[in-house]
Structure formats: structure tokens, C-alpha cells
Amino acid sequence: MKWIKVKIDYFSDNLKETKARLINIFEEVGIKQVEFVDYFSDNSLDYSVNFKNENDIWSMIGYIIDNRFVKSKLNIIYNNVNEISKDDENFMSEIYTSRCSDEDWQDEWKKYFHTVNITPNIVIKPSWDNYEVKGNETVIEIDPGLAFGTGTHETTSLCVEFLEKYAQNKKKLLDIGCGSGILMLIGKKLGVEKVVGIDIDEKVNDVVLENFSKNEISENFQVIIGNLVDDINEKYDLVVSNILVDVLEKLLEDIEKILEKGATVIFSGILNEKEEAFVKKAKNYNLKQIDRREKNNWVSLVFKYEN
């Protein structure tokens, strides 16, 4: 498959607000996962021990399928970025595009994805990094391949934090929109007996199988290719879904059919300004909010199923 790589270099006095607006622009054209890059050197000798200056210029990278809709999507990106300039006189940006293939995209990740502590006890590492386990750390080895999901994005890291908090004594986990399988893997490492992931992307199956193999897990997991919960016939006591809020709202309409009584449900991918409407709708499906966390305008919510 052919792709268009879209890279936005930008300067802003309001980096957090600008970042959120640019993410929204990418989401509008269907880019669900984004790479963020700064221009700090990887060489620690380039820095003074006593002084570290905050980076002023950031980059954001996303990929669009190169089909007949690509020009329209690029125009939407250009026009919306220009709108930011009208609102913020200090905002400056450059937009770059290039064509790439599946293989090129997969190799791009190796430039930016390195070992990271998602929580004090959970570490995510790619296969190309060496890492020595410290103390009681749980290390997940994962390569995103052609299915995004490395744990570094705010929405995913929030899910990881909540899984660490709520996965104890759970028997069956369902990850709706599982991508690379990272949340499935973490659930399994945290002691969930059986983990199942569902995703609409057919490439996900091979990526998840490879990542579970890297972590030496060979049983009690399953990947289903399908849309939301259309093809789910079991009930689960732990459900997690990290997808766009508009899709989460659609998911709510069918969520009860796959929930055991008292099930814990973790939703992420909700922008702050859409949280209130989502919580209000969730109440219509016997979901009681029990927890909340936020990072950089992204919100993750935890509910208990009370029917």
C-alpha cells in the first residue's frame, strides 16, 4: 500500500494548545496516531548539566493512504493549519509531504520509537533497543509494524496507567481497536487470564501475533478482525478502547452486550472539550464513572457497568 507522509514543523508560544489543535486537524482526515519529534540531540554531551532549555520547535508526523481522496485531505490540513495562523500571530509552520510504502513507514518508526517507562513499573521497548530490567519492572517488547500503538501517545499511556490499576483479578479483557496489541500484552502481563483484541485493519492479526511471540506468550489470546463489537459473542469483565471519541460514542450503543455485571470499562481518546457530552451519553448505558485522568487535553475515563 502507498502512503503520503505529512510532516508539520511548527513554532508556537502556546505549545500544548497548538499541539491539541494540530492533532484535531489530523484526526479530521482520519489520522488516528501521530509521531511527535523534537530537535534535541541524542548526544548527552551536547547539553549543560546545569541548564536545559525547553524546545521551541516541534514536529508532528502522520500518514494518509495515497488514494483518490488524498488531495482533498491534504487541502483540509493546509486550510486548517492556516486558520491557526489567523488566531495566533506567533504561530509559524511548514508542511512537508512525501510518498512512501508500507516498508518505508515501518522503518520510519525506528528513528523515533525507543525504550520508555510508561509508568514507574511498566516499560515499553522495541526489539532494536537493548534494556536491562530494574527491580520489579514489567518489560513489554513491541514493534508497531504497520499497526500503530507504542504506548507513547497520551491516550495510550493513560490506558496503561488504568490497566495497571484495575487489571488485578480480572479474567477476560477485550481491547476494542487493538492495533499493535500493546494493551492486550500489558493486560496479560498484569495477570488477566484471557485477552482478546478486535480491529478493523486486517494487518493487525500478524502484528499482534508477532508481538505476543516476542513476549513469549503463546496461549489464551485471540485477535478478531471486525468492526467494534459486531463479531463479539462473549462477555468480559474488563474492556478497554482507545479510539476516536466519535467512534466511542457509536460503540456505547452496543457496549452492554459484551459486559459482565460489574465489568470495568476504560475509554481513552477523548478530547477535553468532548468529555461532558460523552459522560452524559454513557449514563444511558448503565455505566457509572469511577475514575478520570487527563494529559495534554486528552482524557481517559473508567466506568463500572451496573446493570
Side-chain angles (χ1 to χ4, degrees):
M1 185 178 293
K2 299 297 182 181
W3 301 84
I4 298 294
K5 175 182 177 181
V6 182
K7 178 172 177 278
I8 303 176
D9 291 344
Y10 63 96
F11 167 87
S12 174
D13 286 339
N14 303 299
L15 279 174
K16 288 185 178 180
E17 293 82 358
T18 302
K19 177 182 178 182
R21 291 187 68 176
L22 290 172
I23 289 171
N24 286 342
I25 290 170
F26 273 6
E27 286 186 344
E28 185 176 340
V29 297
I31 300 174
K32 298 180 182 180
Q33 296 285 350
V34 182
E35 300 169 34
F36 299 102
V37 187
D38 66 33
Y39 292 102
F40 284 128
S41 165
D42 288 329
N43 186 350
S44 59
L45 298 177
D46 290 344
Y47 305 111
S48 165
V49 174
N50 299 316
F51 180 75
K52 181 178 178 181
N53 188 31
E54 184 174 349
N55 193 29
D56 289 328
I57 301 176
W58 289 39
S59 292
M60 184 176 294
I61 300 169
Y63 296 83
I64 304 172
I65 297 175
D66 189 2
N67 57 21
R68 61 193 178 96
F69 302 109
V70 70
K71 289 185 179 179
S72 298
K73 291 182 177 181
L74 289 174
N75 284 332
I76 290 172
I77 292 174
Y78 294 140
N79 292 336
N80 287 341
V81 170
N82 286 333
E83 287 297 317
I84 298 179
S85 300
K86 295 177 182 178
D87 298 335
D88 182 358
E89 62 181 11
N90 294 315
F91 173 78
M92 293 182 290
S93 66
E94 294 284 348
I95 301 177
Y96 306 90
T97 62
S98 63
R99 284 184 165 83
C100 60
S101 65
D102 285 346
E103 292 76 16
D104 297 330
W105 185 3
Q106 190 168 2
D107 289 339
E108 280 293 307
W109 274 96
K110 296 184 180 181
K111 299 178 183 178
Y112 310 119
F113 177 35
H114 299 286
T115 301
V116 61
N117 278 78
I118 301 300
T119 74
N121 295 312
I122 296 180
V123 177
I124 307 297
K125 71 170 289 294
S127 61
W128 53 87
D129 270 3
N130 294 319
Y131 183 78
E132 185 175 339
V133 179
K134 303 178 184 67
N136 296 321
E137 289 179 337
T138 297
V139 177
I140 309 293
E141 183 168 307
I142 190 165
D143 293 346
L146 301 176
F148 278 102
T150 64
T152 56
H153 191 274
E154 291 90 341
T155 60
T156 312
S157 64
L158 286 167
C159 285
V160 174
E161 292 174 14
F162 278 141
L163 280 175
E164 192 173 33
K165 184 175 180 179
Y166 291 102
Q168 286 73 22
N169 301 316
K170 297 297 185 182
K171 294 183 178 180
K172 292 196 298 182
L173 176 149
L174 176 66
D175 180 4
I176 303 168
C178 64
S180 63
I182 182 172
L183 298 179
M184 298 167 61
L185 273 169
I186 290 171
K188 202 78 177 74
K189 291 274 189 174
L190 291 173
V192 179
E193 293 181 15
K194 179 182 179 180
V195 296
V196 177
I198 186 166
D199 202 291
I200 200 169
D201 187 346
E202 294 182 359
K203 295 186 180 72
V204 159
N205 185 64
D206 291 339
V207 175
V208 172
L209 290 176
E210 182 177 349
N211 284 325
F212 269 71
S213 177
K214 289 179 188 296
N215 289 272
E216 299 180 347
I217 299 173
S218 59
E219 59 183 10
N220 289 328
F221 74 93
Q222 180 185 6
V223 180
I224 299 170
I225 303 303
N227 182 46
L228 299 179
V229 294
D230 291 349
D231 299 305
I232 302 297
N233 299 313
E234 293 185 89
K235 291 184 182 290
Y236 297 81
D237 58 356
L238 180 60
V239 173
V240 61
S241 187
N242 175 28
I243 48 183
L244 300 179
V245 67
D246 294 341
V247 184
L248 288 177
E249 290 182 348
K250 177 66 176 174
L251 170 61
L252 284 174
E253 298 172 7
D254 297 313
I255 193 76
E256 291 186 86
K257 79 171 190 176
I258 54 99
L259 298 178
E260 291 185 356
K261 185 176 181 179
T264 299
V265 185
I266 302 168
F267 291 126
S268 197
I270 304 165
L271 285 166
N272 182 283
E273 57 265 29
K274 296 187 177 183
E275 176 185 4
E276 183 177 354
F278 181 81
V279 171
K280 183 178 180 180
K281 184 169 184 177
K283 290 179 181 178
N284 297 326
Y285 301 96
N286 298 301
L287 294 173
K288 179 184 178 181
Q289 184 182 338
I290 60 173
D291 214 338
R292 176 193 187 275
R293 290 183 185 176
E294 179 177 347
K295 288 183 181 180
N296 295 329
N297 204 42
W298 291 103
V299 175
S300 184
L301 302 169
V302 184
F303 295 87
K304 182 177 180 180
Y305 181 55
E306 293 195 316
N307 192 24

